[in-house]
Amino acid sequence: MIVARDVHKHFGGFRAVDGATIEIAEGSITGLIGPNGAGKTTLFNVIAGVLKPTSGTVTMQGEDITGLPPHALFHKGLLRTFQIAHEFSSMTVRENLMMVPGGQIGETLWNAWFRRGAVATQDRALAAKADEVLDFLTISHLADEKAGNLSGGQKKLLELGRTMMVDARIVFLDEVGAGVNRTLLNTIGDAIVRLNKERGYTFCLIEHDMDFIARLCDPVIVMAEGHVLAQGKADEIMQNEAVIEAYLGTGLKNKVKDKVKDKAHG
């Protein structure tokens, strides 16, 4: 679905992304891991149109989308979330979801004044869809809560819910587990798997929690110093000596090996 080929992004003399090439297959849940400063988020931002690459190309199902702005990619079904959730804090959770779809009738002053019936009909349909999304994510009880009052994990669920309001084709998730407790992280993981299996969503996610990555992702891509270091199944990556020692930390080497052995024995 997505091919980012030989992507470079320089900030002055600093090469945040330095010749990275990745492919994201349609229907996959692809993990992107690596140490802080590896270039993961910058590559996300280039693919999602937040940043223009210094050089290189990005295609989506064969169409060149290099440098297209986020709103144009949004209409093509490419969405991304951020490490820090961007909610409308003074609006309810339901209202946050209802804001997502573009081209709403009530966005023009003329329609707001003279087509109130049509606006009300569309709002009811959007509210119904929002409630369906909240039910899917098991947070219906938060529908009327101000979004600013949500916990970090609940805000991440709300971010995921936004992508469901427009039936996204591919979603880039930036550190969905950051600041999220284990229970809510499991809920988020369950929702991602269901969206992938039941609704055909393609995902690419940055995450530091290797248990979460191993549970959800195939393949896993490792970045370091702006380029791709390794790619493969989670178990292969977790046993890769270079990845373990240089990018997961030498102190985790034995712990990771023990975890792989435990998994192999049941």
Side-chain angles (χ1 to χ4, degrees), residues 16-188:
V17 179
D18 192 19
T21 295
I22 68 169
E23 295 186 9
I24 302 169
E26 185 172 3
S28 70
I29 304 178
T30 299
L32 186 60
I33 67 171
N36 290 331
K40 306 180 300 297
T41 295
T42 302
L43 181 60
F44 258 33
N45 284 335
V46 168
I47 294 172
V50 178
L51 296 172
K52 291 187 177 181
T54 303
S55 63
T57 60
V58 181
T59 60
M60 180 174 176
Q61 293 189 318
E63 177 187 356
D64 190 347
I65 59 170
T66 310
L68 287 183
H71 69 268
L73 296 174
F74 173 89
H75 291 296
K76 293 180 181 294
L78 189 157
L79 287 77
R80 70 153 296 174
T81 67
F82 294 86
Q83 182 178 350
I84 299 174
H86 295 155
E87 76 284 352
F88 297 102
S89 58
S90 63
M91 301 174 69
T92 69
V93 170
R94 182 187 290 110
E95 289 167 344
N96 266 262
L97 294 178
M98 291 174 64
M99 288 283 292
V100 175
Q104 295 186 37
I105 298 172
E107 291 177 355
T108 67
L109 184 61
W110 174 270
N111 288 337
W113 276 98
F114 299 107
R115 298 187 62 197
R116 294 182 181 180
V119 171
T121 298
Q122 185 177 62
D123 282 349
R124 284 193 295 271
L126 288 171
K129 183 164 186 176
D131 287 342
E132 177 191 349
V133 168
L134 294 172
D135 183 60
F136 183 96
L137 297 174
T138 69
I139 52 173
S140 295
H141 59 289
L142 297 173
D144 297 313
E145 183 67 63
K146 297 293 186 186
N149 295 335
L150 301 183
S151 70
Q154 291 168 340
K155 288 179 180 180
K156 294 295 179 69
L157 278 169
L158 176 57
E159 289 259 280
L160 189 58
R162 285 175 173 171
T163 71
M164 297 174 64
M165 290 297 294
V166 290
D167 297 322
R169 297 170 63 196
I170 181 165
V171 180
F172 290 82
L173 303 172
D174 193 352
E175 294 199 34
V176 69
V180 179
N181 67 52
R182 180 58 57 180
T183 299
L184 271 176
L185 186 58
N186 287 336
T187 300
I188 293 170

Side-chain angles (χ1 to χ4, degrees), residues 8 103 208 240:
H8 293 253
H208 291 292
N240 183 305

Side-chain angles (χ1 to χ4, degrees), residues 6-10 14-21 38-39 42-43 55 223-228:
D6 195 25
V7 172
H8 293 253
K9 181 58 186 178
H10 304 166
F14 176 60
R15 300 187 174 193
V17 179
D18 192 19
T21 295
T42 302
L43 181 60
S55 63
M223 283 190 70
E225 299 180 349
H227 61 271
V228 173

